[in-house]
Amino acid sequence: MVSAGVFVGLIVVVTILSKSHADRNVYPSAGVLFVHVLEREYFKGEFPPYPKAGDSSNDPITFNTNLKGYPDRPGWLRYIQRTPHSDGVLYGSPTAEHVGKPTIIEITAYNKRTFETARHNLVINIMSTEEFPLPYQAEFFIKNMNVEEMLASEVLGDFLGAVKNVWQPERLNAINITSALDRGGRVPLPINDLKEGVYVMVGADVQFSSCLREVETPQNQLRCSQEMEPVISCDKKFRAQFHIDWCKISLVDITKVVAVHSNRPDPGTGVLPDIGEYNPPSESLKSRDYFTDFLITLAVPSAVALVLFIILAYSMCCRREGVEKRNMQTPDIQLVHHSSIQKSTKELRSMSKNREIAWPLSTLPVFHPVSGEVVPPLHPDNYETTSMPLMQTQT
């Protein structure tokens, strides 16, 4: 049985089912986007039917994919499944170094209703073609799409059609699709139907069009640096369905890219060489004297600290000039001024202590002429002398 999927007449992935129901063979090309849908309907025959008729599609089925004999998938192959009630998708772009090496992917389906599993194998045979990779590659960032939406053949075909209308190449194909989350993007808020965004790389056989080159103009570069949307003449051809961030577009001519080759060492067998038997040290070892180590680590720092303490004590106590030497080096007129100020200060302090002030009349008891009672003073006995006037007007 042979089935073929076509993307805008440009991407062809052939799937061949082997006699074993659990194995599938696919033949993608190196440098071309590979998409394989894990259909839930295909695995439902492996599980018991749903109790209610007509509700068999409600079985929650998830998939686990890994390279046979390893816990994860190859580096070029990605997998996504949003919910247990949606199909899973394997996608990626194989490179030339994977040509001729069959890649067996183990696909394990889990039915969360019955807790049963079913395992199938997907054999990926990467083919080599002279047409790929195409020399001129452009990567677009589409803000209003998720990766699984972009992987749909109809949506991807519409996007390639819009790019072909702008670029006008003879050959055009999708090279790779990457979610913005894989590039360090943030998960969008669950409001207003926001999308995470997706990067789509396409390749063509002709030079970039003038419309795509408008991104590199100084005016648009300045607008991008100011976080403003650049002015692109052909944006209206995408805007109806695809919202492209033109500041994140990348144009690469692989014919001008200098290849960097790193010399990797040849991997060994992973077995340590035989260096003989292990010979432990002899038990007749001499004891070590640690007295010298004690002197070096404790006595020497203590001696240095003592010398420094003696030098500091001599500088602080034995090198003081004294009052007499200070007075000898001070001018006489300065000493006289200092002495007179000091004497005046002492005299003022002694006068303030011996000052006696008469209490004002407002603080004495008052005789009321009508009632004959003695009215208490206006101020209590704890009247503060500091608030009393210095010049007394009462007699």
Side-chain angles (χ1 to χ4, degrees), residues 150-194:
M150 199 66 199
L151 289 172
S153 58
E154 298 82 5
V155 178
L156 184 58
D158 293 341
F159 177 74
L160 292 178
V163 174
K164 187 175 183 180
N165 190 17
V166 171
W167 202 338
Q168 297 297 329
E170 295 182 2
R171 290 182 297 161
L172 179 72
N173 71 283
I175 297 177
N176 200 4
I177 292 181
T178 308
S179 172
L181 302 182
D182 296 333
R183 298 283 188 89
R186 304 176 67 177
V187 178
L189 295 175
I191 57 176
N192 300 328
D193 196 22
L194 294 178

Side-chain angles (χ1 to χ4, degrees), residues 25 67 98-105 122-126:
N25 287 271
L67 184 64
H98 302 102
V99 174
K101 301 176 182 178
T103 302
I104 302 177
I105 303 297
L122 178 67
V123 183
I124 303 176
N125 304 277
I126 301 173

Side-chain angles (χ1 to χ4, degrees), residues 89-165:
V89 182
L90 284 169
Y91 65 100
S93 180
T95 59
E97 63 181 8
H98 302 102
V99 174
K101 301 176 182 178
T103 302
I104 302 177
I105 303 297
E106 292 181 341
I107 302 173
T108 305
Y110 297 91
N111 190 325
K112 293 188 175 182
R113 178 180 62 87
T114 61
F115 301 100
E116 295 183 352
T117 62
R119 178 168 296 177
H120 294 186
N121 291 333
L122 178 67
V123 183
I124 303 176
N125 304 277
I126 301 173
M127 309 298 293
S128 175
T129 58
E130 298 179 357
E131 300 178 355
F132 305 108
L134 296 175
Y136 304 101
Q137 299 178 359
E139 187 177 54
F140 300 85
F141 178 63
I142 305 175
K143 297 184 289 185
N144 64 328
M145 287 287 175
N146 288 334
V147 61
E148 72 275 8
E149 297 174 345
M150 199 66 199
L151 289 172
S153 58
E154 298 82 5
V155 178
L156 184 58
D158 293 341
F159 177 74
L160 292 178
V163 174
K164 187 175 183 180
N165 190 17

Side-chain angles (χ1 to χ4, degrees), residues 299-313:
V300 174
S302 301
V304 173
L306 180 61
V307 172
L308 295 177
F309 176 76
I310 294 174
I311 295 174
L312 181 61

Side-chain angles (χ1 to χ4, degrees), residues 215 220 223-225 228-230 244-249:
V215 183
N220 285 330
R223 294 178 67 89
C224 289
S225 63
M228 299 174 61
E229 188 174 356
I244 297 178
D245 188 347
W246 292 100
C247 290
K248 293 184 179 181
I249 188 173

